[in-house]
Amino acid sequence: MFKKDISAGAKSKVKSSAQRALRTKLVETYPLLSPHIDEIIPKKSQLDSLKLPERTTLYVLESKPLFFQHYDDPLVPHLKLVHQFPTCFPRVRIDRGAIRFVLSGASLMAPGLTSAGGQLPPKEEELKAGDVAVVEAEGKGEACLVGMLKMGTEEMKEKKKGAAMEEGHYLGDGLWKMSID
């Protein structure tokens, strides 16, 4: 989605009613964020939205990227926010062999998650297709990719092949490098 360098389009202020709705939606989507929501989006702060290519909107607070949204898809956290609050988002782990492909913008394939170095959540914490997941790399401390899953985690465990996540926001992509002024 953000493989090439991108530049922001129009910047506009988010109305306070829309900002309250956005806060509520974030807590519903990511319940573990609820203790930190006032730190992420303070009630009296001014949230801005930036138009990006491919009908994507980036929500920014004081030049700090928070979340982006493609059409009416779920809100996806920016990696800088994921690094700030690492335990607040559902996670999966890829093995060492998949790291270089993910960081070059390739689709995340199920074998990278189901092999010995990969890790999927247990059945009771199952992620479904369309859920947003943060991808960690084996042996690394920080998340390297965030995006929507194309197939559920239980389906990945059964099939062990196919694309698990087609596109997302990864370290070093256009969204990561974009300057917000």
Side-chain angles (χ1 to χ4, degrees), residues 98-153:
I99 297 171
R100 70 173 191 208
F101 297 108
V102 166
L103 293 180
S104 66
S107 295
L108 176 62
M109 305 304 281
L113 295 163
T114 57
S115 65
Q119 182 179 15
L120 291 169
K123 189 171 180 79
E124 50 279 352
E125 296 173 25
E126 174 188 6
L127 299 173
K128 303 203 180 328
D131 287 353
V132 174
V134 171
V135 179
E136 295 177 326
E138 178 187 12
K140 308 292 181 199
E142 301 286 336
C144 62
L145 172 69
V146 62
M148 282 192 343
L149 293 174
K150 190 176 175 195
M151 67 169 79
T153 53

